[in-house]
Amino acid sequence: MKSVFHTANSRGIVDHGWLKSRHTFSFADYYDPDRINFGTLRVLNDDFVEGSKGFGTHPHKDMEIISIPLSGALEHRDSMGHGGIIYKGDIQVMSAGTGVTHSEFNANKTEPVQFLQIWVFPRDLKVTPRYDQISLDRHHQKNGFTEIISPNKDNDTTWIHQDAWFSLCNWDKDIVREYTIKRQGNGLYIFLIKGKIQIGDQIVNTRDGYGIWETDHVTLKALESSEILLMDIPMELPYYLK
């Protein structure tokens, strides 16, 4: 088994006043040659946006883009005609494919919005752009693994063009669970949204990230009430990046 540990305070820092962000991997003006990606997981940004502010219309292509609100209200508009507001408990996925433009704004004029922005390299280039979202209300498994993203179009989750599975966990203190990697050649990147957990001998605190690969299962223990994001990700980069 191999592993990498990224503490919360080792992340890249961006402060534009209206936007405060922490980058687990190299992004925009933050560059660390040792922190470009974890397999096909390319971006993990922890964004905090002031009231009525946001990202104006901008383009994307050939990337799977996932937004997970943590608090507040995030408004989305895109060139495919989709628009609306997502809240904590909603998961938004956009396959940029051949090209799409979109904007993201804080829908509240006074209260901040906080969300995770995640990019995953797709399996193939030039897919048809698409948008998807779900609410976790009917999916939530207390003290279990709530799957939110998979590669399977027929599952009752969102899906992306990659052999990746994402799960959200909301655990009470002392809960212990074993996670089995879904696919040979995948690794697991664990991002602790809040709380404190233990993985082997490693203690992981709020906003820390811990990646594990070359193993088929991982045991996690909640040392206090914890909210955990698990990203089961191919470690081999797609053909077009080799």
Side-chain angles (χ1 to χ4, degrees):
M1 184 182 78
K2 294 181 179 178
S3 65
V4 62
F5 184 46
H6 299 137
T7 61
N9 62 8
S10 72
R11 297 176 295 171
I13 299 174
V14 171
D15 189 346
H16 294 302
W18 65 272
L19 167 67
K20 297 178 177 63
S21 186
R22 300 295 181 268
H23 302 331
T24 296
F25 303 107
S26 295
F27 186 84
D29 293 334
Y30 166 62
Y31 177 73
D32 182 336
D34 295 323
R35 293 174 69 158
I36 303 297
N37 58 291
F38 178 81
T40 55
L41 176 61
R42 175 61 189 90
V43 169
L44 174 52
N45 291 351
D46 189 356
D47 289 341
F48 181 98
V49 178
E50 295 290 349
S52 75
K53 303 297 184 180
F55 304 92
T57 302
H58 57 282
H60 291 285
K61 65 181 297 185
D62 293 325
M63 194 68 71
E64 303 294 302
I65 301 170
I66 299 142
S67 297
I68 303 177
L70 303 179
S71 65
L74 184 67
E75 184 173 0
H76 167 90
R77 303 281 175 188
D78 65 47
S79 56
M80 297 176 284
H82 303 104
I85 299 173
I86 58 173
Y87 304 87
K88 183 176 174 62
D90 296 329
I91 310 297
Q92 179 190 89
V93 170
M94 187 171 67
S95 298
T98 54
V100 66
T101 60
H102 79 135
S103 62
E104 291 173 300
F105 277 87
N106 188 341
N108 193 300
K109 295 186 182 300
T110 57
E111 298 297 322
V113 62
Q114 193 161 16
F115 66 103
L116 299 179
Q117 180 182 173
I118 301 166
W119 295 5
V120 176
F121 290 123
R123 190 187 305 110
D124 297 301
L125 298 175
K126 302 185 185 307
V127 302
T128 301
R130 56 176 288 274
Y131 176 90
D132 194 12
Q133 85 176 59
I134 59 168
S135 173
L136 296 184
D137 291 346
R138 60 195 176 91
H139 299 265
H140 178 66
Q141 298 181 39
K142 178 68 173 177
N143 293 320
F145 300 107
T146 301
E147 187 175 291
I148 59 173
I149 294 171
S150 80
N152 305 316
K153 299 179 183 180
D154 297 331
N155 277 10
D156 196 21
T157 62
T158 57
W159 62 274
I160 60 175
H161 295 276
Q162 186 52 272
D163 296 317
W165 291 259
F166 285 32
S167 297
L168 274 173
C169 311
N170 191 340
W171 291 358
D172 295 325
K173 181 181 178 181
D174 295 327
I175 292 295
V176 180
R177 295 285 184 267
E178 182 176 273
Y179 180 88
T180 300
I181 304 293
K182 302 286 190 184
R183 172 182 173 274
Q184 187 174 4
N186 276 22
L188 185 69
Y189 195 87
I190 300 145
F191 184 73
L192 187 58
I193 296 171
K194 64 179 181 181
K196 186 175 186 179
I197 63 174
Q198 184 170 355
I199 306 164
D201 296 328
Q202 181 67 58
I203 303 299
V204 180
N205 292 291
T206 296
R207 295 308 207 261
D208 289 346
Y210 188 53
I212 303 172
W213 66 106
E214 294 187 6
T215 186
D216 58 6
H217 65 276
V218 179
T219 300
L220 305 93
K221 178 179 180 179
L223 301 180
E224 59 188 52
S225 295
S226 298
E227 189 173 354
I228 313 160
L229 174 62
L230 304 180
M231 293 168 276
D232 188 330
I233 292 287
M235 297 304 293
E236 184 177 2
L237 291 175
Y239 66 92
Y240 55 84
L241 294 174
K242 296 179 181 177

